[in-house]
Amino acid sequence: MESASGGAGPSDPNTEEGPSVTGSALLQTQQSQVHQPEASSPAPLSRYESQKRRDWNTFLQYLKNHKPPLTLARCSGAHVIEFLKYLDQFGKTKVHVTGCPYFGHPNPPAPCACPLKQAWGSLDALIGRLRAAYEENGGRPESNPFGARAVRIYLREVKEGQSKARGVPYEKKKRKRPTVTAASVSVTPNQAVKVGGGSGGVDGGAAVDGGSATIATAAITTSTSV
């Protein structure tokens, strides 16, 4: 007599019935590692960002070498002006003194013994970069020493002094405002006009029914007469 438990018994773990769950997961992990794209390298810094980082590190080194040493928290506008004057020794711009025969001469015919200094434009751009770097490194805008009033006054004096000494006027370039051309289209009631896209116009076409429509560079105004 057959036993009542004569059903299919538990499968033998030693029998080969395909890959096990562990083996399958391991295979998928290996495949994903093979096909996983490499992490993209960070984008290189722009020329402005690289220069800003170098300027910031230079200023921090200046504070460290200052006697007595200064911390960034104690730095004021007066210390920033000292830093700008310190940089004059590395300048390459000839600034004539008052007694020089070439004072106010834009193109002196011969060399002179007047000192070389940092050009006003270079100092102005430097302060702009340091002002941004200060806030990017956790500084508060209201306590930014590079935006102090004393620094702005000093830069203005350097600008005016170098302009007279070198005979080079520093004038702001006036921005040319773009001329806006407007076209008016009169539309009689119950008449449709299709406006086609042009350079600076309306793209894709637009149907305007009734009233009058004025087409400008940036807007379309439609009014309907009753």
Side-chain angles (χ1 to χ4, degrees), residues 65 68 91 129 201-202:
N65 296 337
R129 292 191 296 268
V202 183

Side-chain angles (χ1 to χ4, degrees), residues 211-225:
S212 61
T214 300
I215 304 173
T217 302
I220 299 178
T221 305
T222 306
S223 61
T224 305
S225 60

